[in-house]
Amino acid sequence: MSIENGNHRPDKWRFRFVYGIAFILFAVVAGRLFYLTVIDKDFLQNQGEMRAVRTETIPATRGMILDRRGEPLAVSAPTWTLVANPKKLWNMDQNPQKGETPEQEINRLADVMGVGHSWLTNRFEANKTRSFMYLKRQISPHEADEIMAAHVIGVTKRKEYKRFYPAGEMAAQVVGFTSIDDKGQEGLELEYNSELKGSPGKRSYIKDLSGNAIRPIGQEVPARPGENIQLSIDMRLQYLAYRELKAAVTENRATSASAVILNVKTGEILAMVNQPSYNPNDRSTLDYDELRNRAVIDLFEPGSTMKPFTVSAALMSGQYNTESIINTSPGYLRVGRFTIRDDGNYGKINLEKLLEKSSNVGASKIAFSLPPDSIWNVDHSLGFGSPVGIGFPGEVSGILPTHARWRPAELATLSYGYGLSVSTLQLAQAYMTLANGGYRVPVTIFKQDAPPKGKQVIPRKVAKSVVKMLEGVVLHGSGKRAQVPGYQIAGKTGTVHVVGNDGYQYDEYNSIFAGIAPASDPRLVMVVMIHNPKGRNYYGGEVAAPVFSRVMRGALRTLNIPPDMPDGLREVKLDSKKIPFRVAQGN
């Protein structure tokens, strides 16, 4: 009996040991469950949601860019983008219904997409550990439905927006374009991207094991569309200017060109065109040199188009009036080691003839007779040497040199438009101020509801007299080809040697015309700049002035601006009274 009891004691010990271990394990598991379900509940819930809940972004519609009449220049159209889950495809078990392997699924997808089997297989293999891959972006609903009808595992579609530009190449450099991700890349699309892009929305839903949405959860946040932007551009004038500028570049075999039309009273840009251009809807063959908005980025020496401002400085000084005589004989002028020349010996001429004949000698003699900073002060007050400030990417300020001590050669070259550089828009701004009675208003690319506040920078009588003198340039001088039947036109031609890396290129020219219409009551200003025409003609009056005439003829009719010279051309009469200086120097 005692032996029997002794043999059973080890069995009881083992039983109690195993029971104790089991109890401890149970307590540990129970404690862990309590910790996870009560104490760390938020963590588990978050992990579960990460595996079962998905948040989808709702794309926002980008704002439209419109012309002044509400015509669209940039709109967003809905498209579909196909995406794939390579990880899901490669890790799937063999489909019992279709009996296909991942490779067979990929090949079937390649067939319906119209791409090579090996190319698509390599893409899936390179991304086999990822759960997201773009297949094809921004395609039509019909094409997306055809591909989705193949029912390839892991392939889904999502809605996106694609930018479309109805004006095409006519407004390409102004409007710019967006990337495939709908972000502004060039032009106003880039500069005003934050206003145009809007804010995407989001919605959350529970998914099943196959990734399909079961039901929505939470509150959907709707997408907020971007703001619309209305420009001052009038597409009717934009089309006219673009057509004629392109034809002139082709006819004269020019390298490039730009043109700008401004509303004299409001400072609005009604047209801004460039050559060469590109189609923003098809950028497959894009040359990056075509992206530049040359009207605000490219600089050139303005040449004789600056002489009206030299004459303005002369009248403002009180030393000259409209009948003052300048002796330009014998047609040239020695300044140090330089010789300034006219195209002929014009003898004794007044200021009107100086502009009509475009006398470099006459302009230089005016500069020598005035205080050294006089011409610079006028040029500076008109905006030369400073950005116009229309909020365009890459806008340049140009160069208006200043010197503590002016040398005679520097004064002379400044008086007839050399030694400084301007953009087409800057030159248009200066002529707009002249046409507006010397009252300078801000230039803008946006439609204005009311005339903006400006500043009187040239006395009104001076500006009016200079505009009348410029009528003579178009009636009798080098600007004859800028005439528009029924309208008085004022303007000035310019022909300038191109500046290269090694100085002036004496076989290359810039041809320029700056004009005002109608001269009796100015409404429009247009500047045409054609770079390096390689044809038989290269003078501004032969190359640029005809473009002004054709565009302005259409623009005046389009805007219903009545003729101011119905009975034919008339002679220009000038007031010979002296006009006192009324504007402070250095503004």
Side-chain angles (χ1 to χ4, degrees):
M1 193 71 179
S2 62
I3 296 174
E4 223 172 31
N5 292 337
N7 289 338
H8 282 149
R9 283 174 186 167
D11 293 335
K12 286 183 178 181
W13 181 85
R14 290 189 188 98
F15 175 78
R16 288 171 181 170
F17 176 79
V18 171
Y19 181 80
I21 293 296
F23 179 79
I24 292 171
L25 290 174
F26 176 79
V28 169
V29 171
R32 181 62 178 168
L33 287 173
F34 176 80
Y35 175 80
L36 292 176
T37 57
V38 177
I39 299 175
D40 204 21
K41 181 178 68 174
D42 291 341
F43 171 79
L44 283 178
Q45 189 171 354
N46 183 54
Q47 291 296 310
E49 289 178 353
M50 287 176 62
R51 290 160 174 77
V53 177
R54 286 289 180 268
T55 299
E56 183 181 42
T57 299
I58 305 173
T61 308
R62 193 172 176 87
M64 293 191 294
I65 300 178
L66 309 168
D67 87 334
R68 67 183 302 106
R69 299 168 61 243
E71 295 293 326
L73 303 179
V75 295
S76 292
T79 61
W80 290 101
T81 287
L82 297 179
V83 299
N85 186 337
K87 185 176 180 180
K88 181 178 180 181
L89 181 63
W90 284 111
N91 293 340
M92 74 175 188
D93 293 326
Q94 191 175 32
N95 191 311
Q97 293 181 344
K98 293 182 288 186
E100 292 183 339
T101 64
E103 289 81 2
Q104 290 173 321
E105 289 270 296
I106 295 171
N107 289 343
R108 192 159 51 81
L109 178 62
D111 290 336
V112 72
M113 287 178 61
V115 298
H117 289 189
S118 59
W119 177 83
L120 190 58
T121 300
N122 289 338
R123 283 200 65 199
F124 270 90
E125 286 183 344
N127 294 276
K128 66 191 310 178
T129 60
R130 298 181 179 181
S131 58
F132 179 86
M133 179 182 80
Y134 281 115
L135 283 176
K136 207 167 187 181
R137 299 194 67 178
Q138 298 183 350
I139 59 177
S140 67
H142 176 70
E143 185 179 358
D145 289 343
E146 283 189 338
I147 296 174
M148 290 300 298
H151 300 294
V152 177
I153 292 176
V155 175
T156 57
K157 66 178 182 178
R158 58 173 57 179
K159 192 175 185 179
E160 287 188 333
Y161 289 95
K162 183 178 181 180
R163 210 62 163 159
F164 177 67
Y165 302 95
E169 62 184 57
M170 286 186 291
Q173 290 93 351
V174 175
V175 176
F177 58 82
T178 61
S179 67
I180 196 170
D181 294 314
D182 220 20
K183 295 179 181 178
Q185 299 291 293
E186 290 287 338
L188 297 176
E189 290 274 34
L190 171 61
E191 186 67 20
Y192 296 95
N193 183 66
S194 58
E195 290 84 356
L196 289 164
K197 69 179 182 179
S199 299
K202 62 179 180 180
R203 55 171 166 256
S204 299
Y205 60 89
I206 296 177
K207 69 178 183 67
D208 60 17
L209 293 176
S210 299
N212 301 313
I214 300 175
R215 64 180 176 85
I217 58 172
Q219 186 172 2
E220 179 178 309
V221 179
R224 180 179 62 82
E227 300 174 20
N228 293 340
I229 291 178
Q230 187 164 26
L231 306 184
S232 59
I233 298 291
D234 188 325
M235 277 309 299
R236 299 171 300 177
L237 275 58
Q238 184 83 0
Y239 170 74
L240 283 170
Y242 182 81
R243 181 189 66 187
E244 295 300 337
L245 192 70
K246 185 174 183 178
V249 167
T250 302
E251 179 185 352
N252 295 282
R253 295 186 288 118
T255 302
S256 61
S258 60
V260 172
I261 302 177
L262 299 181
N263 183 319
V264 169
K265 305 300 181 184
T266 65
E268 293 172 302
I269 300 173
L270 300 180
M272 179 185 287
V273 295
N274 299 276
Q275 277 293 308
S277 189
Y278 65 96
N279 183 0
N281 298 307
D282 180 11
R283 302 192 292 274
S284 57
T285 59
L286 180 64
D287 181 348
Y288 285 94
D289 189 52
E290 299 170 350
L291 296 178
R292 295 208 313 275
N293 186 350
R294 299 175 185 274
V296 299
I297 292 175
D298 284 11
L299 293 174
F300 56 92
E301 288 186 316
S304 295
T305 57
M306 294 297 291
K307 287 172 183 171
F309 310 123
T310 298
V311 170
S312 297
L315 294 173
M316 290 165 65
S317 72
Q319 299 180 38
Y320 293 84
N321 60 49
T322 55
E323 296 302 322
S324 295
I325 300 299
I326 301 171
N327 188 0
T328 63
S329 294
Y332 60 87
L333 179 66
R334 291 287 298 176
V335 179
R337 60 189 181 91
F338 301 102
T339 302
I340 299 168
R341 298 184 183 277
D342 286 338
D343 290 337
N345 183 2
Y346 303 132
K348 295 179 179 180
I349 56 176
N350 61 17
L351 297 183
E352 180 188 1
K353 283 294 181 183
L354 185 153
L355 293 177
E356 185 181 314
K357 299 295 185 181
S358 199
S359 172
N360 295 334
V361 173
S364 300
K365 286 194 171 184
I366 288 176
F368 297 152
S369 69
L370 300 178
D373 287 338
S374 297
I375 296 174
W376 187 93
N377 286 332
V378 171
D379 292 347
H380 179 68
S381 71
L382 291 166
F384 294 114
S386 303
V388 175
I390 63 169
F392 194 89
E395 183 185 341
V396 295
S397 60
I399 300 172
L400 179 62
T402 183
H403 303 281
R405 184 168 182 168
W406 289 86
R407 294 181 296 178
E410 293 165 344
L411 286 172
T413 54
L414 187 65
S415 73
Y416 55 82
Y418 279 80
L420 73 159
S421 61
V422 306
S423 68
T424 304
L425 183 60
Q426 283 180 317
L427 190 58
Q429 175 185 238
Y431 272 78
M432 178 189 71
T433 302
L434 203 61
N436 202 25
Y439 189 73
R440 178 182 166 186
V441 296
V443 175
T444 179
I445 192 71
F446 298 109
K447 184 179 180 181
Q448 299 297 296
D449 296 325
K453 288 188 66 175
K455 180 181 179 181
Q456 194 77 36
V457 296
I458 294 177
R460 184 174 180 82
K461 287 184 178 180
V462 169
K464 291 286 186 182
S465 292
V466 174
V467 170
K468 283 186 177 182
M469 293 181 194
L470 291 176
E471 288 186 60
V473 176
V474 176
L475 286 173
H476 310 295
S478 57
K480 288 181 180 179
R481 298 188 67 183
Q483 294 177 4
V484 177
Y487 293 88
Q488 299 176 59
I489 304 296
K492 187 70 186 76
T493 59
T495 308
V496 191
H497 289 290
V498 173
V499 180
N501 295 329
D502 54 347
Y504 288 106
Q505 309 300 304
Y506 289 100
D507 58 346
E508 296 182 13
Y509 300 88
N510 286 326
S511 305
I512 312 162
F513 184 82
I516 300 166
S520 63
D521 182 18
R523 297 280 300 278
L524 303 176
V525 158
M526 181 176 184
V527 172
V528 180
M529 203 290 285
I530 299 181
H531 173 59
N532 192 25
K534 304 179 192 68
R536 183 179 61 183
N537 300 321
Y538 58 85
Y539 286 109
E542 297 170 330
V543 176
V547 178
F548 174 92
S549 175
R550 291 191 291 267
V551 175
M552 194 56 66
R553 184 179 309 183
L556 292 167
R557 290 175 182 164
T558 299
L559 299 178
N560 294 318
I561 298 174
D564 62 344
M565 196 165 49
D567 299 326
L569 302 179
R570 65 173 178 81
E571 294 291 332
V572 180
K573 295 183 179 179
L574 299 172
D575 183 5
S576 61
K577 182 186 288 187
K578 284 191 176 182
I579 304 169
F581 169 71
R582 295 183 182 276
V583 177
Q585 298 278 341
N587 291 339

